[in-house]
Structure formats: structure tokens, C-alpha cells
Amino acid sequence: MRLNLINICILFYSMLCLGQDLRPYGLHLDDQMEVPAGEIYDVVEDLEHQKWIASGSGLYKIGMNQFELYRSDKQFGQSVFNPIVDSRNRVWFTNLKGQVFCVEDEKVNLKYATKDYENGFMPLLSSNDQAVQVVTRKEILSFPYKQKGYISHPIVYDGFPVTKITELNEGQFLLHGRRLLKYDSLKGYEFVQKAPYFPSLGGTILFQMGTRLIYFYQDSIGFHFVDLYRNQESTEIFNELKGLSIVQITNHKNQIWFCTSAGLFIYEMIDGLPVFQKRLMESRVVTSAIIDFKGDFWITTYRNGIYIFRPRTIEEFVINDPNYFINDFIPDANGGLYAIQNEAIFHHYNPLESTKPIDLKRRNNNQRLFHDSDSDRFFLQNTSLYEIKDDALKKRFDQPGLKDFDIINDRYLISNYANIYLLDKDFKTEHAVKGRTQFSVPGENVILSLHQGSMVLFDFDLHRIKQILYQNKPLILTTAVHLQHDTFLGINEDKELLRIKLDNDILSVAKVENPNIEELQTELVDIVHDSPFVYGLTRSGIFRWQPATDELIITRLDNLLNWKGMYKLKKGPDALWVQDRKRIYKLTGAFIPETLPQLHLSLNSISTLKEQFPMDQATSLPHSYGGLLIKSSIKGLAFDHGYALEYKWSPEEAWQPALSQPSGFVIPQVKSGNYTLHLRKHDPLTGAFTLPLSIPLMVDIAFYQSAWFWLCTLIMLLIFGFVVYTWRSRYLEKQLEKKLTEARVDNQLTMLKLENLRSQMNPHFIFNSLNSIQDYILSNDKKLAAKFLVRFSRLMRVYLNHSQQTSITLQQEIDTLDLYLSLEQDRFDKSFDYEIKVDDTIEPRNFMVPSLFLQPYVENSVNHGLHHKHGPKEIKVHVEEKPSGYLQIHIEDNGIGRESSRQLNAHLQHESFSTRANDTRISLMKQYHGDQLDIHITDLRDRDNQPLGTRVSITLPLIHKRHAVLNN
């Protein structure tokens, strides 16, 4: 939803949260590809996940590393606005001149033009599953999908503003002044109720939040919120928006986003009213923002380009003084945290209210924080045990040398250097066991403890069950978590991840068997459990492992965090938290959601480091191909920055990373043999993979390793002398024969050119041309007669000049064709159109073609293809460059076809002399050029086998001008 076009704004995620720096994982699209427009107004995503932007220089589709401009010849101006995508995946948009356009089948069609733009009003677009709706000041237009044209429903313009049509639960609605109207694409609109207030300046937004129908509008007083359900209006809600221009309003779940001239304002709907939450991007002018199919945010700005980032962020908390160490921290339920710094200062950061640090007075480097989730109580383990309440500390248990604290059902488990204590909820001792205990982890029926230097199991009354051994030695864990029942997961001193399980009094200790986890075990630092997942901190990132399915996702964020300094990992309500010595980082959305759509890898090109080869067939590679260069993309993404390419040569192998280079990804060479190359792309941030792509390849053995090489070598030694003598004799004979042949061919080509010249000076053409000149003179149109005569004489002079040359430049041939076709066009009273197109990759002045070679085919198209046709007539000449040094020229007409022409001219018993001469000329030229020259004629037909015209395709060798000069 959007307001009328005023100022255009947008955001890049530059956000301060609680005084800390919030850094998005995102990209400025302008850094990846050249954005062709400075002023960007809107972005939409179509049903095939292609992105479209409306800008000051037109409508663009964002492709892989390029922007494609879509424009109509009937379009006034360059700026376009209000793009929408209908249910048939067509993109609609408008402009300031009141025109409505639709992109269908890659063409831009003008659908409607209104004169309302004279009053400063652009059409408002919307769509549903039946039709596209266009709202103007005087009528509502419906473009049904199942019929052509549109249905008009007039409305009376009484000076009051009108909104775009909005799809709500009960149907489609719009506001016309104070009147709420319900609209049907076929039947029109009907009055529903009166709105309590109406906007005086327009720009109204109507939509539904829950069961309430609400709308917003901005006028000279300020920004208004109207609840039609409660029949009330309020302007005090939006004090933050005063003095700002509102460009676009969108709703995301239960939030309302306001794009303004000074950033993005986010409101949460609470009890039917919008409540301000946060303001983002104060330094950007925001125009639009969408969430695409992959969950990424696409944000457009006014003169600041396009930003793309993922809905995951990293918040960096610098506690008070960054020069002091952080002893411990624990997140709370409000997005804040408790933390201890410098062994003596306790902090509570609460985003909803201000808090003050507390001086603990006594230093202790073994301080820890704990949370009782059942009672939502927070505790501090210092020299004593304190409960944190109302930003104050209340002493609960006083014993020296506290080491650990945990909760077991309705009781607390506390350890110090001499004992383990089991306390009730009032902190009265129920049981105590002597012995130094480092930490304890309660299970369902037992407690796992590091007690007196080894791992021991206790029951809930602190009765010792048994000592745990691993590889016949007492087991020592550095940290452990409870999984389920009486199963635990821990890290031993050798950085191995072990599973400890007690089942029916049978104790088992086993190393976790997961190849990917085994690779990470040497880097393991900490683990936490949040059912059903286990999260692990390593020296290179974090991972999420689901023991039930053995699914593992790794997130590295290499460019954003220094993992080597991290030593503590904790899980909050909606985020993971990691800590180094002086900072705490909150990771939101660090892992890929289970509902993320599967990505598909598309292969753009594959080549050796020396040459490129086709992708659609099994390819044989030479023995020393040096490696493969792979260029690929991910379908539906405008770019895949940050994705790494992985490969393997057989299903049994492990995936390996390809070497990234600016030109693509490089895969090293392998030994000779038959392979299937498997490729996939990996997002290091989320751990997401594309579907694998398989390519069959065969690497040839070295020629010197084959048996035939040695046999051929022996034979060659025996007959070498004879071969050299024979080859030398035949070579001299061929050289002499070639020179004689070239002389004969040149002589015949010269004769054919003269004959071709006479055929081109078609007496019928000359007679008709002189008749045309006579008509111009008799009608006293001397200027046209003179102009026609000048061009006619110029054509005759060009024919004479070119007939003396074996070859001419492509530009000269095109100019001659253009002059000839313009004369024929005038002679036939403009009854046909023609087009001559040369690809941008070809410079016509630098390449040579046989002189006067194309004119006979064009003449046939005019005289035999188009002369007897009724309706539109057209000739197209298209010149393009083909791979391997070939030039291809297509001459295509939409005439009656060769078969119909032969039937009409059967009584003449005449074959075009110019065509016959050209055929002979081609035959001789093939003797000179070999198979590099080819003529192919195609009869064009429709599905009913009716003629649509004729296409002549001419393939010529691509001869550069300077080479032709050297050869001459």
C-alpha cells in the first residue's frame, strides 16, 4: 500500500540498539552491478521470483548481474510508478501522464490512458484472482482475466479523495471521501457505510489488521489513524511522524511499517491501536521494502540505490567500559541481558526501561549468572548466592567458594570447594555430600557431576550411583548438557563430543558419529541444548545439530565475527548469544528456517582454463586441461554474493570447496577416467544448500600412454622417408593447381559480376522507375521527381562502381540495399516496410562481403514475395556474428511464399537471371572458401501449414578488411 507520490524514501539497516551497533548481514546492490536509475520508487516480486523496480528512468527487471528495461513506444516520459503483479504473473504500472501499462510475453502494452493527470492524479492499481482494477477520479476500470478489454464503472468526482481498491477478508473495498464502498469486478460498487472522518488532502491507505478495518491519511494537521470498527479517529498516536512525508505504508504480520522522508518507523498493533516500537535508517529516504520468497529484504531508496539484507542481525553489546573483561552474562525475556564486568560491577540492560549498574564491592573471578525459567528468577553466584530482583541483589545462600548452581525440579543444586548442597525453594538444606564439585547437570532421574576430579552420577537425593569411565579411564568433561531422559552430551579434554546414556542401569559412553561434527571437534569450545537442537560454539563458527535426525547446519559468518576469541555460548528466547572477553554478541536468525524454499543451481558456462565447451552433452576433456572454470547462478536470485561453490567427483566423496576467482569458480584437474561432476552452492551464513547439479565428464588418457601411440611410432619410422618425399611432390603439384584454379575462378567471377550487373539493372525496374518519375513530373511534383531521379542515378552509379570489385565492405553492401529498397518502396507507394539490422557486436565498416551479393535475394522478396500479397508487407534483413568466425545474414519477408509465387508465375516460364547467376557465383566461391559459405532457403508456415513468407539464411566467412587488403 502507498500514499500519493510525494517524496520518496528508504532505509539501510543502520540501527542503534541500547547504545550498541546493530550490523546487518546485507549488500548494497549498487556495489554488485550497475543500477541504471538514480531515483527508485518501488520494488515488487513476480510469481517466478523475479524482481522489478519502478524508477525515474523506467521499469526494470533485475536479472543475473543486469537490469532489463521495459518500455512502450506509446509511453510518455521515463518515470513509472505503482508496479503490481497480477495472478497471471503480469506486471502492471502507471506514469505521471495517466497511462496504464502491462508487461505480458516480454512486451509492454498500453492498456488505458486517462486525462486525470491534468489534475495531478495518477491511476491507482490493484488486483485479485479475477481481474486487475484501475481507479481514477471519474471511473473504476476492471480488466477481467477471462475476457478482453475492460469494464468501466463510473463514479462521481465531488472533490473528495479516493483510495486504491484493497483486498480484505470480506471482499474488495475502497474509500470515496467518507463513503466506504464494496467493489465487485463485474457488478461494480455498492455503498457500505459512512466513515467518521475523511481526509482533506488525499493519500489515504485502507487495510485490515485482525478483525478491524482501519485507514491512515495525512493532511495539513498531521497523520491520522481511523478505526472504522470503533468509529474513532486519533492523531496523537503518530507524534513520531509529525513533520515527515509518508511515502508508503505496509503491514507485516502484526506490524505497520511507515516509509518516511527520515527513515522507517515500525508500529506494533496492540489492543487495536498502533504502538511505536522503533525507528530505523534515519539517514536514508525510504521508498519501498518487500520480503522476497527467500526471506531476504529488498529495500529501495531515493538516490541511494537498492539494499538487500537478510532478516538476521548481529547486535554487539559493549558493557560499560570495553577495557574491562566480562565474567559472565545471561539473556532475559525482554531482549536484554544481565552481565558481570571487571569481577565487581553487575549490569542489567533492559530495552524497555533504563537500569543502573550495581557495585558488588567484593571481587570474585568465579562469578556466574543463572535463570530459573519455571519461576522466572535470576540468580548471581558470587562469594554468596544472590537473587536479582528489581535491579537489586538479595542474599539467598551464604557458603564460601561457590562453584556451581542449578535447578532440579523444585529444588536448587549448589556446589562449592567442599560440598554439594541440595536446597528447597526457600534455600533450606535438604541434603549435602562432601567433595569438591566443579559443575553438575541434572537429568530426568540422575545428576551428572564433575566430582572430585571425574564424572560421577548421583540420584536426586545425592546418593552416588557410579563413576563414569571412558576408554578404561575416569572421564573428565569440560562442559555438558542434558538431552532427554538420562542422556547427556559433553566435551572431554580431548575436544571430543561424547554421548553419556543411562538406560535401565546400563551406562554407555560413546563418541558422536557424525563426519561433519568430527571435523569440528578439535575446535569445540561450548555447547548448549534447547530441545530439539544442540548448539555448539567452535573456533570457526557455530553449528546447530538435531540428534534425532543427525541434521547439522553450520554458520560461520566469517566476515562479521572473530570466532577464535569466543569462549561462551548461551541460548535466549529468540536468539543465540556468544561472548569474548570484552563483548557480547546477540545473533538473531542465524540459522536457516525449516520452511525456506529449496534453491536450484543453474549452470551458466563451463570451460577448461583454455577453452569453452557445450554444457548440454557429456564432454571429453583432454588429458592436460588444467582445471575447470565454472560460472553458475541460483534461480530466482538477482545475485548470489557470498555463496560458495562445492564439488565432488563421485557420490561417495565428501564435498570440497572450489577456488573462488573474479571470473568464476575453479575446480582442479583430475586423473584420466569417466566422472560425474556434482556441483552445489552453499550459503555460509545460513548453511543452506542448493539442489546438486550433475555433469558427465570424461578425461582422456595421455596419448603417449596408449598402445596405438607406440604402434604408430614404429610405422612412422619405417615409412617416414617415403611419406616426406610423397608429401613434398604432392604439395608442389597442389600449389600449382591451386594457383591455376584461383585464376580461373577469378576470371569466371568477373564475368558473373558483369552478368549479375546486367540482371540487377532490371529493365522492368528501370521502366517502372522512369514511369514513377514521369508521374511526379505530370503531377507537377518536381521536387519528388528530382529526389527520386537523384537516388535512382546514385543507385546506378553504385552498381557500376561495385561491379568492378570482388568484395566490398559490409557497410557498403547495406547502404546499397537500403538505397535499392527505399526506391522500391517509393515505387510501390509505400506498400511495404523494411528493416535492416546489424548486431552491436559487428562493425560493418571492418568486414568484407562479396560485392552485390544480397540484392538478388531482396529483389526476389519484393517482386515475387510481396508484390501479390494483401495486407501488411515487410522485409527484414538481419546481420549477426556466429561463433568460430562466421557471418550470418537473414533475409526474411512475410509474402506469399515460393510455392504460391511459382503458381502465379507459371505461365511466364521465366527464371530470374540474377538468381541463376548468383547460384553459379556461389558454386565458384565455394571452391575458393570451402564449406564456409552456405545458402539456405526456408519456407515459413503457421500451424495450419499456411505460408507466412520466406527466409534466406546466408553464411559467409568473417573476413576482416585488413586481411582482405593483404590477400588482394
Side-chain angles (χ1 to χ4, degrees):
M1 302 178 184
R2 71 180 47 74
L3 296 171
N4 273 349
L5 178 69
I6 313 174
N7 299 321
I8 319 292
C9 1
I10 186 145
L11 53 99
F12 177 57
Y13 233 57
S14 176
M15 173 191 197
L16 294 178
C17 181
L18 311 176
Q20 290 77 40
D21 180 27
L22 177 62
R23 296 176 293 169
Y25 184 83
L27 293 169
H28 192 194
L29 188 59
D30 302 53
D31 298 334
Q32 308 301 317
M33 53 199 295
E34 184 178 354
V35 178
E39 300 174 356
I40 302 174
Y41 307 138
D42 212 338
V43 59
V44 294
E45 181 182 37
D46 66 21
L47 302 182
E48 296 178 353
H49 310 312
Q50 296 288 336
K51 313 302 184 300
W52 300 74
I53 62 169
S55 71
S57 58
L59 180 75
Y60 291 90
K61 181 169 73 173
I62 306 178
M64 179 55 65
N65 299 320
Q66 65 177 358
F67 285 80
E68 301 176 43
L69 175 64
Y70 285 76
R71 181 176 174 82
S72 169
D73 295 338
K74 301 177 181 180
Q75 183 176 330
F76 295 123
Q78 295 184 341
S79 297
V80 300
F81 306 92
N82 306 331
I84 65 166
V85 179
D86 66 19
S87 60
R88 295 193 173 185
N89 204 35
R90 299 178 300 179
V91 179
W92 296 67
F93 62 96
T94 64
N95 63 11
L96 291 172
K97 297 298 184 180
Q99 295 177 300
V100 179
F101 298 93
C102 175
V103 181
E104 46 189 339
D105 299 327
E106 296 297 311
K107 293 182 180 179
V108 181
N109 299 319
L110 175 64
K111 291 292 188 177
Y112 179 75
T114 178
K115 296 182 180 180
D116 279 349
Y117 73 89
E118 297 174 355
N119 299 319
F121 184 85
M122 281 192 305
L124 303 174
L125 306 181
S126 58
S127 69
N128 60 5
D129 57 358
Q130 296 179 352
V132 173
Q133 297 86 29
V134 179
V135 178
T136 73
R137 285 186 172 179
K138 298 179 180 179
E139 58 184 335
I140 303 176
L141 306 175
S142 174
F143 291 83
Y145 298 143
K146 296 183 179 181
Q147 67 185 64
K148 294 183 178 180
Y150 60 83
I151 302 171
S152 175
H153 300 108
I155 57 177
V156 178
Y157 177 63
D158 51 9
F160 293 119
V162 62
T163 70
K164 65 182 288 184
I165 295 176
T166 304
E167 184 79 19
L168 304 178
N169 294 343
E170 294 81 13
Q172 291 185 297
F173 294 85
L174 73 154
L175 276 174
H176 182 208
R178 292 184 61 179
R179 298 189 304 156
L180 178 66
L181 306 178
K182 185 175 182 180
Y183 182 74
D184 183 276
S185 297
L186 300 178
K187 300 178 181 179
Y189 60 86
E190 59 178 330
F191 174 78
V192 178
Q193 71 176 67
K194 274 192 175 183
Y197 307 94
F198 63 86
S200 57
L201 296 180
T204 309
I205 298 297
L206 175 70
F207 59 95
Q208 189 165 13
M209 296 294 292
T211 60
R212 285 179 167 82
L213 185 61
I214 61 178
Y215 65 89
F216 304 89
Y217 69 91
Q218 185 179 26
D219 61 13
S220 58
I221 298 175
F223 201 73
H224 302 253
F225 165 76
V226 180
D227 189 336
L228 289 174
Y229 179 83
R230 294 180 174 178
N231 200 31
Q232 66 182 28
E233 179 188 34
S234 176
T235 58
E236 300 301 323
I237 297 175
F238 301 103
N239 293 326
E240 300 83 6
L241 302 178
K242 287 184 178 180
L244 301 180
S245 296
I246 309 298
V247 180
Q248 187 178 121
I249 305 175
T250 58
N251 63 303
H252 299 273
K253 295 184 178 178
N254 199 42
Q255 289 184 336
I256 305 172
W257 292 11
F258 294 88
C259 298
T260 77
S261 54
L264 181 72
F265 290 76
I266 298 178
Y267 289 77
E268 189 90 16
M269 291 295 293
I270 300 176
D271 295 330
L273 293 175
V275 178
F276 176 72
Q277 297 296 315
K278 62 182 69 175
R279 178 184 181 183
L280 310 176
M281 326 304 255
E282 296 182 18
S283 61
R284 291 291 184 270
V285 179
V286 179
T287 57
S288 67
I290 65 169
I291 302 177
D292 73 359
F293 80 106
K294 191 172 173 287
D296 291 345
F297 282 76
W298 286 68
I299 301 171
T300 61
T301 67
Y302 184 71
R303 298 184 177 176
N304 286 113
I306 304 172
Y307 295 89
I308 305 171
F309 64 90
R310 295 173 181 170
R312 49 185 63 87
T313 57
I314 300 174
E315 295 180 60
E316 178 184 299
F317 290 81
V318 179
I319 307 299
N320 195 31
D321 190 338
N323 295 317
Y324 290 139
F325 288 157
I326 299 172
N327 300 91
D328 196 16
F329 76 97
I330 189 168
D332 66 14
N334 298 318
L337 59 85
Y338 296 96
I340 303 173
Q341 186 181 41
N342 196 27
E343 302 178 359
I345 302 174
F346 168 77
H347 297 269
H348 177 206
Y349 279 100
N350 188 340
L352 302 181
E353 58 185 39
S354 61
T355 58
K356 296 181 180 180
I358 303 173
D359 190 353
L360 301 181
K361 297 181 180 180
R362 289 190 62 182
R363 293 179 177 269
N364 185 345
N365 59 9
N366 188 32
Q367 300 175 103
R368 296 181 63 190
L369 292 164
F370 301 92
H371 179 224
D372 183 353
S373 58
D374 293 335
S375 61
D376 196 26
R377 302 164 74 185
F378 287 86
F379 296 93
L380 165 67
Q381 170 198 307
N382 190 271
T383 53
S384 301
L385 182 68
Y386 298 89
E387 182 178 354
I388 306 166
K389 192 171 184 180
D390 299 327
D391 290 337
L393 302 180
K394 184 176 181 180
K395 186 181 291 187
R396 291 298 190 184
F397 187 75
D398 191 10
Q399 287 289 339
L402 291 183
K403 294 292 184 182
D404 190 42
F405 174 86
D406 218 317
I407 298 100
I408 304 177
N409 296 333
D410 295 330
R411 299 181 289 180
Y412 297 114
L413 186 69
I414 300 178
S415 306
N416 68 353
Y417 65 88
N419 300 286
I420 307 177
Y421 300 93
L422 191 62
L423 312 177
D424 61 17
K425 283 291 184 178
D426 295 326
F427 295 93
K428 294 180 181 180
T429 302
E430 293 184 354
H431 300 280
V433 175
K434 289 186 178 181
R436 183 184 181 90
T437 302
Q438 296 297 111
F439 69 85
S440 299
V441 180
E444 190 174 280
N445 301 294
V446 297
I447 302 170
L448 176 69
S449 298
L450 179 56
H451 181 70
Q452 292 185 328
S454 68
M455 303 309 300
V456 176
L457 289 178
F458 292 95
D459 64 17
F460 279 0
D461 292 327
L462 295 186
H463 297 139
R464 180 171 173 147
I465 298 176
K466 62 177 62 179
Q467 184 184 27
I468 302 175
L469 301 179
Y470 178 61
Q471 296 178 347
N472 298 321
K473 297 180 182 179
L475 175 64
I476 300 176
L477 299 178
T478 59
T479 185
V481 296
H482 172 238
L483 293 182
Q484 60 179 353
H485 306 306
D486 288 325
T487 303
F488 304 86
L489 197 69
I491 305 173
N492 67 4
E493 293 178 314
D494 296 327
K495 301 293 185 181
E496 293 178 314
L497 191 63
L498 304 179
R499 194 194 306 260
I500 302 99
K501 183 177 182 179
L502 181 65
D503 187 11
N504 295 326
D505 295 330
I506 299 175
L507 179 66
S508 62
V509 181
K511 184 179 178 181
V512 172
E513 299 295 337
N514 185 307
N516 294 320
I517 291 182
E518 288 179 6
E519 294 178 7
L520 300 172
Q521 285 185 356
T522 58
E523 302 180 338
L524 267 177
V525 177
D526 197 8
I527 56 174
V528 295
H529 178 243
D530 186 31
S531 183
F533 300 110
V534 173
Y535 298 90
L537 172 65
T538 74
R539 295 300 182 192
S540 60
I542 53 178
F543 66 80
R544 188 185 76 182
W545 175 50
Q546 187 171 5
T549 62
D550 214 27
E551 177 192 24
L552 180 72
I553 298 177
I554 303 171
T555 295
R556 300 191 185 277
L557 301 167
D558 295 327
N559 299 324
L560 300 177
L561 288 178
N562 178 19
W563 294 105
K564 293 182 179 179
M566 304 296 173
Y567 73 98
K568 194 169 291 186
L569 172 68
K570 296 194 177 183
K571 180 70 173 67
D574 59 352
L576 283 173
W577 300 71
V578 293
Q579 175 198 338
D580 62 16
R581 290 296 179 184
K582 298 182 180 181
R583 289 173 175 80
I584 300 170
Y585 301 91
K586 179 181 179 182
L587 312 182
T588 304
F591 291 100
I592 182 172
E594 286 76 14
T595 57
L596 191 71
Q598 181 65 60
L599 302 177
H600 296 265
L601 181 64
S602 176
L603 188 64
N604 297 339
S605 69
I606 179 171
S607 62
T608 68
L609 297 181
K610 299 178 181 178
E611 62 179 345
Q612 188 166 337
F613 52 83
M615 298 182 293
D616 57 351
Q617 58 187 18
T619 306
S620 177
L621 300 176
H623 171 70
S624 300
Y625 65 92
L628 294 175
L629 179 64
I630 304 291
K631 295 182 180 180
S632 62
S633 58
I634 298 177
K635 295 179 180 178
L637 300 185
F639 65 97
D640 53 7
H641 176 86
Y643 282 78
L645 184 71
E646 297 181 348
Y647 72 94
K648 59 182 180 180
W649 291 101
S650 68
E652 296 77 20
E653 291 184 5
W655 290 96
Q656 304 177 57
L659 179 63
S660 177
Q661 292 187 355
S663 57
F665 290 93
V666 174
I667 297 177
Q669 180 173 340
V670 292
K671 297 180 180 180
S672 304
N674 294 320
Y675 298 93
T676 298
L677 177 61
H678 304 272
L679 300 173
R680 72 179 184 183
K681 277 197 171 179
H682 171 223
D683 184 354
L685 176 70
T686 64
F689 293 97
T690 65
L691 290 174
L693 187 66
S694 300
I695 306 171
L697 295 173
M698 182 180 70
V699 181
D700 297 335
I701 62 173
F703 71 94
Y704 52 81
Q705 297 174 334
S706 60
W708 63 264
F709 170 78
W710 297 106
L711 179 62
C712 291
T713 301
L714 178 62
I715 296 174
M716 290 300 296
L717 289 174
L718 294 175
I719 63 175
F720 178 74
F722 175 77
V723 169
V724 170
Y725 173 79
T726 304
W727 175 83
R728 181 65 179 171
S729 300
R730 292 181 178 178
Y731 174 78
L732 294 175
E733 291 176 2
K734 287 183 178 180
Q735 288 295 105
L736 180 60
E737 182 179 353
K738 183 178 180 181
K739 290 181 180 180
L740 294 173
T741 301
E742 289 177 357
R744 287 195 300 269
V745 169
D746 286 341
N747 183 50
Q748 294 184 45
L749 283 174
T750 302
M751 295 300 295
L752 282 168
K753 279 195 296 182
L754 294 175
E755 294 174 351
N756 211 13
L757 174 63
R758 288 193 295 272
S759 72
Q760 288 158 354
M761 290 183 173
N762 189 328
H764 183 64
F765 167 74
I766 296 172
F767 175 77
N768 288 335
S769 298
L770 292 177
N771 263 350
S772 297
I773 296 171
Q774 182 183 19
D775 289 342
Y776 289 139
I777 294 172
L778 291 176
S779 62
N780 291 322
D781 200 344
K782 297 180 180 180
K783 289 184 178 180
L784 288 178
K787 183 178 178 181
F788 189 95
L789 185 59
V790 168
R791 288 188 294 157
F792 179 77
S793 62
R794 188 190 307 163
L795 179 63
M796 297 301 101
R797 183 167 62 252
V798 169
Y799 282 163
L800 289 171
N801 290 338
H802 290 177
S803 65
Q804 306 302 316
Q805 304 175 46
T806 304
S807 61
I808 59 176
T809 66
L810 177 59
Q811 185 65 54
Q812 290 173 318
E813 185 74 2
I814 290 172
D815 292 341
T816 304
L817 275 183
D818 186 56
L819 183 57
Y820 168 75
L821 283 170
S822 67
L823 285 171
E824 289 283 58
Q825 192 181 47
D826 287 345
R827 189 168 69 87
F828 287 99
D829 294 328
K830 305 288 185 179
S831 63
F832 70 89
D833 296 319
Y834 70 90
E835 178 188 29
I836 301 177
K837 180 180 179 183
V838 181
D839 280 2
D840 295 338
T841 57
I842 300 174
E843 177 49 56
R845 294 181 179 84
N846 293 339
F847 296 97
M848 308 297 290
V849 295
S851 63
L852 305 175
F853 191 72
L854 304 179
Q855 189 270 343
Y857 300 102
V858 175
E859 179 186 338
N860 279 345
S861 292
V862 174
N863 293 330
H864 301 292
L866 302 180
H867 183 61
H868 299 287
K869 176 179 170 59
H870 298 288
K873 307 174 184 179
E874 187 178 25
I875 296 177
K876 293 182 180 180
V877 180
H878 181 203
V879 183
E880 60 181 349
E881 183 180 356
K882 289 295 184 180
S884 305
Y886 287 94
L887 187 71
Q888 193 162 65
I889 303 170
H890 300 284
I891 301 171
E892 181 177 332
D893 65 70
N894 63 345
I896 61 175
R898 290 191 297 171
E899 182 178 346
S900 298
S901 178
R902 278 195 294 268
Q903 294 174 1
L904 290 173
N905 297 320
H907 65 283
L908 298 178
Q909 298 296 322
H910 170 69
E911 181 183 1
S912 171
F913 178 80
S914 59
T915 303
R916 186 175 68 253
N918 234 29
D919 291 342
T920 308
R921 186 182 183 191
I922 291 167
S923 176
L924 291 170
M925 290 176 68
K926 279 190 174 182
Q927 296 179 23
Y928 186 80
H929 292 289
D931 294 332
Q932 295 180 342
L933 188 144
D934 182 54
I935 307 293
H936 183 69
I937 301 176
T938 304
D939 293 315
L940 305 177
R941 296 181 179 277
D942 60 13
R943 294 181 179 178
D944 299 326
N945 203 32
Q946 296 300 314
L948 293 177
T950 307
R951 180 192 296 124
V952 180
S953 299
I954 303 171
T955 304
L956 297 172
L958 195 61
I959 302 174
H960 199 278
K961 186 176 181 180
R962 60 175 179 270
H963 294 161
V965 172
L966 291 174
N967 290 337
N968 288 338

